[in-house]
Structures are given as structure tokens and as C-alpha cells.
Amino acid sequence: MDTGGRLVAGSRNRNEFVVINADDFGRSKAAKDSNGQICHICGDDIEILEEEKELFVACNECAFPVCRTCYEYERREGSQACPQCKTRYKRHKGSARVEGDEEEDGDDDIEKEFNFGYFDPKETSSISGSKLHSQLRIGQSSFTGSVIGTSSVHNPNFCTNTNIPLLTYGEEVDGISADHHALVIPPYVTQIHSSPITGSSVSTQSRPINPNKDIAVYGYGTVAWKDRVDDWKRKQLIKLQRPQLEGGDGGGFDGDGLDNSDLPVSDEGRQPLSRKLPIASSKINPYRIIILLRLVILGFFFHYRLRHPVPDAYGLWLTSVICEIWFAISWILDQFPKWYPIERETYLDRLSLRYEKEGKPSELADIDIFVSTVDPMKEPPLITANTVLSILAVDYPVDKVSCYVSDDGAAMLTFEALSETSEFAKKWVPFCKKFNIEPRAPEWYFAQKIDYLKDKVHPDFVRERRAMKREYEEFKVRVNALVSMAQKVPEEGWTMQDGTPWPGNNVRDHPGMIQVFLGHNGVLDEAGNELPRLVYVSREKRPGYNHHKKAGAMNALVRVSAVLSNAPYILNVDCDHYINNCKALREAMCFMMDPISGKKVCYVQFPQRFDGIDRHDRYSNRNVVFFDINMKGLDGLQGPIYVGTGCVFRRQALYGFDAPVKEKSPGKTCNCWPRWCCCCCGSKRKNRKGKQKQEKKKKKKTKHREASTQIHALEAIEEEAKGQESENSALVPREKLEKRFGQSCVFVASTLQENGGIAEGVSFASCLSEAMHVISCGYEDKTEWGKEVGWIYGSVTEDILTGFKMHCHGWRSVYCIPRRPAFKGSAPINLSDRLHQVLRWALGSVEIFLSKHCPIWYGYRGGLKWLERFSYINSVVYPWTSIPLVAYCTLPAICLLTGKFIVPEISTYASLIFIALFVSIAATGILEMQWGGVSIDDWWRNEQFWVIGGVSSHLFALVQGLLKVLAGVDTDFTVTSKGGDDEEFAELYLFKWTSLLIPPLTLLILNIIGVVAGISNAITSGYESWGPLFGRLFFAIWVIMHLYPFLKGMMGKQDRVPTIVVVWSILLASICSLLWVRVNPFTSKYDGPILEVCGLNCD
């Protein structure tokens, strides 16, 4: 069915498939056949010669359809004869001469006659291992290298039964002797050889082999010898490149390293695409020394604290010691993952030299980009439109970029705004690429307060910029008109332009919807160039189903993109995070496509940068300490955690596959002990080694791994020879794949394609039909989606959980910080909104802590490193710090009101310990700021908001999480707007009442009252009381200084505080003070003078 680029809606469960706003509504049409011929060997289209403007003809005798690639391969490696008429191929113009070619007159082709430079081993491997082993059907296409012997009840046309056995690739197999190096070839297939054979042809019938004769006589090549040569080349290349490459991250070769292996290693195109930049030893070594000294000082500190209790305030002392022990544990969990901080540098020029060779199509990998949005009233469509426009204008080959917008609210406003965006993109994208402007989000580009003429030399720039700005203003007016119209929903619901009711009128009960706006039907921009694909997706929703919020929407996008484009890499961004650096995708590909270390990288995380934040960053919205210090430290371990946006994934890692296994060094018997030690250990270590080998073999047979494609093929040959189907086969049976990924043959086939891509010759309408199926609300039932596959369910912070599962599978991640920020977004600068954002993050951590995926007890048999585990433990434990933090911030006020303190009379030894502890804390912070490039203002704001969020959002998240997980009570704290301002940063001064404001304000008032009471008591008590007062005052002032930004937020711009906040806070502070005076549990009771017998006779 030809959708004609119109909206497609439907539900597989209800057997609905509708094309809305179409001329021929619901009419089925056959897919158009290809205009050109198809190669009968690999199934690709036969190219048209540029000079003759005719199809390439390999054989002049029978004109058997063979593409240029297969013709070249057959002449170079095969029988050099036509598969149909057995006539020897003649050399065509531009082809390299091989042995046996006839002498030709003329020298018009002398330059290319002996040119073997275009030979690409990766391309050869692809032909021999994938294309030539596909099912050969004239005029048809099939999935190559995917599922063997699978079928589907939904659309059986997508699955084929491939019965052609594959080569062993040098692997020794039981039942196959070493002198049998090739297999019987079915009709219409030419056997591939390792060396050319002169004057011989290949028969399609099997023939016995006489070991006394040369094997080349029979037309068979020795695969083992070819693999030995390739393996030798690979080892030599690794040895040459090892001094220049970083160690510890490698995941093996993918074949690219052998490209042009005769060139010197210093060739720029064969150098690593990135490198590590360790922190200078002058910065990192003192930092590590201070950490160790701080550990020693903490030991002396706790030794003193535990050995010197306070008898008259034992309760205060015990509470403070418990809190301090918890703070020390939290510090260890936060500090030691920062032991190996690193930075990274990318080489975009090397990426272009390697994968974008002049005169050839770009070899850069395809990327699917996900943009998620829900409510257009909270997430303005204009912001989403700017994000989409920045994606469409990215500096990357347009045919390799696909943008998928997930509208989980099924809002017609989002759909119409995206339609307007696609029309404006036809003007905006060529303007961006013509003048190479940054950023490529028009709202932020035109809002820049810089000299936009800097480095611009094109004479038409000023004129076209003014015209484009006028076009954008008109675009904004149209989008704002849509927003204004959507404020009032009609009683009968929304209708489309042709009168069709909008399928998403009922947000909780609507069919799935897919609309392809760009990238189909030859849609071009104003400059006549192609545009990236833009797809609108709204998954099906029905009552009674758990749709899992954002994580469920992202998983739906994973399946839709796999059916429509199936790029090997995925970038996900929030709707308010636009691409600020047009080369961001290339930055990520420097890590993902690196032939040495890229195989084990599951995702590349970029830091979050924000626009529209006040200069002082009152509430630490930029989160600079986390992104510039903590994440750099994690990058030196197993990689940064996933933060929910600005992240490029490897699709195979999202599918729950394990990371490639790092091969053990052949010079040692194990990875951790030297050979002499292993020899002395005797049989026990040998037995352990044997068990480890058996376990690895079992894992290879039960899990899909990237480095074992040839082993998979060999096991399939064994099963075919025996006529059996084993459940332990590396090619997982169809039933297991469907149980894991769902009942879609097309999607299951796509999961096994490491390099992505979809089958050729499949109609786009058929793909849309399958895409509607994979976004149905019941598709994930009885599958592993959300458990082991895709974004993981079970927490509102699905990002932490998803990254944690990948690291447990042995993957590593990479942290990329380009000079120009890759992405920029908006952050809530209002106090109440900021606290609610932190509340959501903390609630997700509590949910993970109380689930089976808690890093304290989950994933010990995987590939998670210990220091990386410390980081994940810290990310789920930090909300529990709110309890000791609230108690510790209350202690200064209690001490000032009662005249007691948490430490006894301080001696010289105790003074030295306290001074050393404070100095080590300050020194650690200063050194972190030095190697992390963080200013002291950002560091101090982070410390302040850690206290503010800890005593408010974290505390409420802990209570809410316990009620939700243990009692099943789902509570929610709402935010109500109370006012606004039209000036710059008006939202900063906007007050919104929320329950989260009560605890920190109560602590603030208590400590202020305590300071006033303490000073008043010292004035009335005399000079001697001032000495002990200083310690208590310092303690209270420390709390007040940390809560100072909160106090400014409460006062607002006009120094006003809502009455309800003042009443509640004063009431709670008064109640606490009165209870303390009445109960006073931490001091000894005094009931009057104690009378004793003195022994004297007073009479």
C-alpha cells in the first residue's frame, strides 16, 4: 500500500490499518518494481556505467545479470567464468588485469590496468560472508545474515529460509577433516576461492577429491591458508599500532584495520580516531595524596570522637557520631570513583580520511535520532521545533540521518507543529549548510548577542540572513497561532483538514500513528538537495496496559526505527535539548567507529549545558561539578553513567547483548598471574582454567556476540549435516528470539544485523505496516522488553538503570567533551521547579535501591568494575543521606538553646585533628577545581544546593519511595504557580508554593533563633561564656550559609514571603523549642539539692 507520505494510524490488535487524508482511502497497491536489473549472486542493483549510460554487462555471451562488485571478485578470487554459460570473463575497462587475460591493443586504460588500490578486504568479507550466502532469487530480495529458518505469522514475506552452508573460516570442527576446505555449492552460486585459478571452471555438482592431486585442479581454494595470511597481517598491524594506541579499552578488530595494509602506519587515515589525555601528574598526584591523608585523618578523628563521649549530652554526641560515620561512608563512595580522571581528544579529520574517501560514497554509519515529548503545553512546540531543525541541519550525510519524534501525548498540536517544521526545514537547512552557521537552532542563533558577521565572507550572507530571519518570524507566528488555537479543545474533538477526526482525541485510548514528513517520495529542499528522514510516531495506548512512561516510549522508537531504517547507532535527546555543535555526531563516531577500541563502547555520553540560567547560578542548575569532575573520573574507570539525554548508543548494546570478549594474551596461561606462578600452582590452576574454558564455550553457544559470526555459521553447518536443531546452537531458535524481542519477524531479523540496514526491495508500505505492529500496546507482553532489552523499567530514572545494565554486560562507555558544547538545553531556574526536578531524580534512586537491580547486590557475575560499582551505589544511596543531614543541621540550634555541645572540652590534640580535617576538605575541593576546570563559585553553589536538596527533596523522595514500594501508596507533591514577572530571568523570582519548602525553612528559622539565643545568653552570662560559644556559633553559621540561596529564593525580588510559609515555619520552630524546654532528653535531670550525711554532729 502506497501511503503517499500521509499519516498512518492503526492497531494490530484490532486489525486496523488506515491511511488518513488520502485520495484512495484504504486502497492496496502493489510495490513498484525496480527499474534496473538485480544481480543474481548478491541481490544488489546492477550499476549504470557513467560513460556508456548503460547497465553493466559482465558476460558478453549470455548477459547473465552480475553486478560490477561480484564480477571483480569472481575475476580476482574465483573461477573467472560466467556462472551460467561458463565462458571466461573478459576484462572490462577500469578493471585490474589478472593472470590469463588476453593482450589488448591501446593504452587508454593503462593507469587502471594493474590498479589494486580499490580492493577493500572489508568489502570482500561482506560479499563472501553475507551477500553470496543469501538465498538467491531472481527479481527478489531477502534478509542476508539475519535469521536462518525463521518465519512469522504476521508477514511471512519478510523471512526466508536460507539453506546454503557457510564456510568454516579456519575453525576446527568435529566431523570435518582438515583436507576438506570447501563445501558443495547449490545451483546459480559460484564458489569463492582464496587464489585465482587459470583456465578452470566450477561445476555445480560435487566431485570426489584425490589427495594426491593439486587441490586447485578441482576449483577449490584453501580457506585455512587465506585466514592464516589475514591473521598474520592483523597481528602485524596490531604490533605496529600498539605503541600509539591506548591500552585497556580494546575490543578487537572489525576488519577496517586491514584496509590498505601495505601503506605505512603513519598514514593519517589509519591513525586512531581519539586518544586519552590523562590529567597532568602535577595536578593528580597531590590530589591522590590528599585523599589518602584525608582517610588517615578521618581515622584519627573517629578514634577521638568514639573515645571521648560527652556524658552530660550523650544523646547529642551519639547522634552526631552516627551522622558523621554516614557522611564518611558517603564521601568514600563519591571520592574514590574519581581516582583516575581523564579527558579525551577526537580527530575529526582522521574520521573523514578513513570513512569519507574522495570519489566514493560516505562509509560513516547511519544514526537514528530520537526526540521525546509528551505535553505540548508544558513543552512548547516551538522548542521542540528548534530541536528538530538543529537535527535536520546537522553536519552529517543526509542519507544516514533519521529523526524520530515520539509524541506520547498524541497531541494534534505537536503533529501540526511538526508539519510546519518540516516545511520550514526546506529553507533553513540549506541556509545553515551554505554559510556554516552555529548553532543551527534558529531561536538561539538569532538570539545571539555576538557579531554574526565574524568570519563571514560570502557577499550574499547579510541579505539571506535577513530574509531567513523574516521567514523564521513568520514560522513562529504560525506555530504560536496553533498553540493559541489549542488552548480550547472542541467538544467533539479535533478534526484534520480533510474532516477526518484526529485519532488521538482520547489521550488514554487511541491507535498508533506514524507520519513520515521528510526523506521519502523525493522531497528536496530549496537548494535541490535531499533532507534527512523525519518521522512522527505516537504509540498505541489502551486502558488496562502499563505503558511505562518515557522508557516505554523510547522502546517503541527503538522498534519503529529498526523496521524503517535500522541504523546501528541511536542518539536520544530531550525535546528541549538542541544540537549546539553541528559536528556532534562525528565526535561520537570517533569513538564508536574506532577499529581498535570502538567495539566495546556501548554509548558516548555528552555533558549537559544549559541556556537561560542566571549568571550566579543560584540553585546550581548547571551541575558543573557533576559533569566536569565526577563524570571525568568515571571515564577513567568503565565510563560515565547515562544521564538521559545527549547520548549516542550502540543499538546492539540496547538489545541486551554482551560486550565482545577480550582475547587472552597467548603469552600467559591466565590474565592475572605470570607463567612461572601458574606452573608452580599445579593441577588446581589447570582445573580452574579448564572450567573457565567450558564456561566460555557455553556462553558463546547461548548468547549472541559480535566476534563469533563465523562460529555461528559453523554450528549451523553441523546442525544441517546432522539433520537436527539444537537449542544450544549459537543461532538462537526463532521461538527464543520471539520470546525475547516480540512477535515480529522483521524486527527480530534486524536485531542480528550488527551493522544495521534493512533489506532491499521491500516496499515502504510493508515496513509501515510492520512498524504499526511493533508500537501496539500489547507487543511487549511476555517479552524481555524493559527487563533485559531496551530502556529498563522499574524506576522514574530509567537512564541510570539502563546504563547500569549495560555496564553489567561488560560494555564500557565514553565521556566526550567537545570544545564547543555538543548539546544545550533549558533548565528550571525557579526554586520550586528545581526542587521538584531533584525530587524526581531522588525518587528514582530510591526505587532502584528497593528493587532487584540495586547495585549493592546485583550484577556481580557481570563485567562491572568495583570502583564503577561504588559510583552506582552512591547514585542510589544518596537520598538516604537526608536523614542524618536533617539531624546534623538541627544539632547547632539545639546546642545553642541548651548550652551543651557535641564534643567535650577541646584539647590541643583535638584541635589539631579538627584543623587537619578542615584543611584536607578544603584542599580536596581546591585540587578538584584545578584539574576539573571548575570555578570556586560553581563549587560553592554545588555545596549549598547539596544541603538544600538534601533536607527537602531527598527527604520527601525517601518518604514517597518507601510509601510507593512498600505500601503501594503513590503520593505526589504538586506545584502551583503564584505569580510572575516580565523581566529577564523573571522565573528566577517567581514563587511557587510547594511542601518541599517547609523543612529547609524550618531549619533556617531554628538556627537563626539558636544564634540569637546563644549570643543573648553569652551577653548575660559574662566573658567566660564567650569561649565555648564560638564552636556552637560556627556550627550554626555553617548551616545558615548553606541555606542562604534558599533564603534568597524565599524572599523573592520584592522581599516578600507568602503568609502560609511564614506561619507554618514559625509554628514548627516554636513547637520544637517548647518541646525541647519541656522534655530536654539529652541532658541530665535536676530535682533539687542532694542531701548526704557528712558525719558531723550539728547538735
Side-chain angles (χ1 to χ4, degrees), residues 11 133 153 262 359 425 509 523 607 622 672 902 929 972:
S11 171
H133 295 152
V153 296
D262 56 336
D509 187 4
V523 178
R622 292 191 178 93
C672 53
I902 58 177
M929 289 185 284
D972 189 16

Side-chain angles (χ1 to χ4, degrees), residues 977-981 990-992 1056:
S977 178
K978 296 295 180 182
D981 203 314
L990 182 65
F991 182 83
K992 299 178 180 179
R1056 62 171 184 261

Side-chain angles (χ1 to χ4, degrees), residues 540-830:
E540 181 185 15
K541 287 190 176 181
R542 301 297 179 190
Y545 288 91
N546 188 355
H547 301 290
H548 301 288
K549 299 180 180 179
K550 180 182 178 181
M554 299 303 295
N555 285 337
L557 287 184
V558 171
R559 297 191 294 270
V560 169
S561 62
V563 173
L564 297 182
S565 54
N566 195 30
Y569 303 107
I570 294 173
L571 165 66
N572 90 287
V573 293
D574 290 340
C575 64
D576 59 341
H577 276 69
Y578 64 91
I579 297 181
N580 184 65
N581 184 349
C582 66
K583 298 185 182 297
L585 301 184
R586 295 177 179 268
E587 296 276 356
M589 290 301 104
C590 286
F591 301 103
M592 288 294 194
M593 300 186 69
D594 192 292
I596 303 297
S597 60
K599 281 291 185 181
K600 290 197 70 175
V601 177
C602 59
Y603 62 82
V604 178
Q605 178 65 63
F606 292 89
Q608 292 185 20
R609 306 301 187 201
F610 302 98
D611 287 315
I613 298 178
D614 61 299
R615 181 168 57 89
H616 299 289
D617 193 13
R618 179 185 295 178
Y619 306 122
S620 188
N621 287 278
R622 292 191 178 93
N623 229 346
V624 178
V625 173
F626 173 76
F627 286 111
D628 288 357
I629 294 180
N630 294 66
M631 296 286 269
K632 288 181 181 178
L634 292 177
D635 197 19
L637 303 176
Q638 199 173 345
I641 63 175
Y642 168 44
V643 297
T645 183
C647 185
V648 178
F649 286 96
R650 184 183 299 274
R651 188 181 286 269
Q652 293 291 311
L654 277 174
Y655 288 156
F657 294 139
D658 287 345
V661 179
K662 184 178 180 180
E663 294 184 1
K664 188 168 53 178
S665 175
K668 297 181 180 180
T669 55
C670 67
N671 288 330
C672 53
W673 296 90
R675 176 179 292 181
W676 62 267
C677 182
C678 295
C679 295
C680 297
C681 290
S683 61
K684 289 184 179 180
R685 190 161 298 279
K686 291 181 180 180
N687 294 335
R688 292 179 183 176
K689 179 183 176 182
K691 291 180 180 179
Q692 291 177 356
K693 283 187 176 180
Q694 292 178 359
E695 291 177 358
K696 288 184 178 180
K697 289 182 179 179
K698 290 180 180 179
K699 289 182 179 180
K700 287 183 179 180
K701 290 184 178 181
T702 56
K703 294 186 178 181
H704 172 81
R705 295 187 184 273
E706 297 177 351
S708 58
T709 306
Q710 290 80 11
I711 299 175
H712 295 170
L714 184 58
E715 291 180 357
I717 295 173
E718 288 184 308
E719 298 302 331
E720 286 188 359
K722 297 179 181 179
Q724 301 176 359
E725 181 178 357
S726 173
E727 291 185 358
N728 293 329
S729 175
L731 283 177
V732 185
R734 175 175 58 86
E735 292 78 8
K736 289 189 176 182
L737 290 173
E738 290 182 351
K739 184 178 180 181
R740 181 179 180 88
F741 297 110
Q743 301 288 329
S744 173
C745 180
V746 179
F747 176 74
V748 169
S750 69
T751 60
L752 300 181
Q753 297 178 5
E754 178 186 349
N755 297 323
I758 59 176
E760 298 180 0
V762 179
S763 65
F764 189 70
S766 300
C767 292
L768 282 179
S769 176
E770 196 69 17
M772 295 300 301
H773 169 50
V774 297
I775 62 172
S776 59
C777 54
Y779 181 83
E780 295 182 355
D781 292 348
K782 298 181 181 180
T783 66
E784 295 187 6
W785 283 100
K787 302 173 185 176
E788 297 292 337
V789 181
W791 271 258
I792 307 301
Y793 303 150
S795 171
V796 295
T797 53
E798 70 288 333
D799 44 7
I800 296 179
L801 204 52
T802 302
F804 173 64
K805 293 280 286 188
M806 291 183 184
H807 284 142
C808 288
H809 280 285
W811 296 93
R812 71 151 295 128
S813 54
V814 169
Y815 195 51
C816 180
I817 311 179
R819 293 183 179 178
R820 179 179 178 87
F823 304 92
K824 279 192 175 183
S826 57
I829 63 174
N830 176 265

Side-chain angles (χ1 to χ4, degrees), residues 28 44 51 84 134 145 169 208 236 378 429 456 537 544 577 635 654 716 731 802 932 980 1039 1057 1078:
S28 299
D44 287 349
E51 298 180 4
Q84 179 168 287
S134 63
Y169 285 87
Q236 294 300 317
K378 295 182 180 179
V429 173
K456 302 300 180 184
V537 179
H577 276 69
D635 197 19
L654 277 174
L731 283 177
T802 302
V1039 175
V1057 181
R1078 180 68 183 88

Side-chain angles (χ1 to χ4, degrees), residues 865-1084:
K865 296 183 180 180
W866 275 99
L867 289 181
E868 190 80 12
R869 184 178 296 277
F870 276 18
S871 174
Y872 277 110
I873 292 175
N874 184 51
S875 67
V876 300
V877 167
Y878 75 90
W880 296 84
T881 308
S882 60
I883 297 177
L885 185 60
V886 170
Y888 211 69
C889 290
T890 309
L891 289 178
I894 296 176
C895 293
L896 288 169
L897 291 173
T898 59
K900 308 296 181 181
F901 201 39
I902 58 177
V903 294
E905 206 172 305
I906 299 179
S907 61
T908 304
Y909 172 74
S911 301
L912 292 176
I913 291 178
F914 287 129
I915 292 174
L917 181 61
F918 285 118
V919 170
S920 65
I921 293 173
T924 304
I926 292 172
L927 291 175
E928 280 185 353
M929 289 185 284
Q930 186 179 13
W931 63 255
V934 177
S935 65
I936 190 171
D937 289 337
D938 292 326
W939 182 84
W940 176 238
R941 295 300 184 198
N942 181 78
E943 293 293 315
Q944 287 179 317
F945 198 79
W946 178 79
V947 176
I948 295 172
V951 300
S952 59
S953 298
H954 298 173
L955 182 64
F956 276 69
L958 187 60
V959 176
Q960 185 176 354
L962 291 173
L963 291 175
K964 182 178 180 179
V965 176
L966 302 180
V969 179
D970 192 4
T971 57
D972 189 16
F973 304 97
T974 58
V975 181
T976 304
S977 178
K978 296 295 180 182
D981 203 314
D982 295 330
E983 299 179 9
E984 187 179 10
F985 304 123
E987 192 179 355
L988 179 66
Y989 309 106
L990 182 65
F991 182 83
K992 299 178 180 179
W993 162 247
T994 173
S995 307
L996 300 175
L997 302 176
I998 295 177
L1001 187 60
T1002 302
L1003 288 174
L1004 191 61
I1005 294 176
L1006 274 175
N1007 281 276
I1008 293 175
I1009 293 175
V1011 170
V1012 174
I1015 295 176
S1016 301
N1017 185 45
I1019 293 175
T1020 57
S1021 299
Y1023 176 77
E1024 294 181 355
S1025 61
W1026 284 97
L1029 179 64
F1030 283 133
R1032 305 186 191 99
L1033 282 178
F1034 176 80
F1035 201 7
I1037 292 174
W1038 176 87
V1039 175
I1040 294 173
M1041 288 178 61
H1042 280 78
L1043 294 176
Y1044 177 70
F1046 174 82
L1047 179 61
K1048 291 185 66 177
M1050 292 294 301
M1051 300 301 294
K1053 190 175 182 180
Q1054 289 79 21
D1055 298 334
R1056 62 171 184 261
V1057 181
T1059 306
I1060 186 173
V1061 176
V1062 176
V1063 170
W1064 272 103
S1065 301
I1066 294 177
L1067 181 62
L1068 287 176
S1070 303
I1071 291 175
C1072 293
S1073 302
L1074 293 174
L1075 285 175
W1076 183 264
V1077 173
R1078 180 68 183 88
V1079 179
N1080 200 2
F1082 297 114
T1083 56
S1084 59

Side-chain angles (χ1 to χ4, degrees), residues 108-128:
D108 57 339
D109 197 29
I110 192 66
E111 295 180 356
K112 299 181 180 179
E113 189 169 290
F114 297 96
N115 181 19
F116 292 87
Y118 62 87
F119 170 66
D120 190 356
K122 183 178 179 181
E123 181 181 344
T124 302
S125 176
S126 175
I127 296 171
S128 61

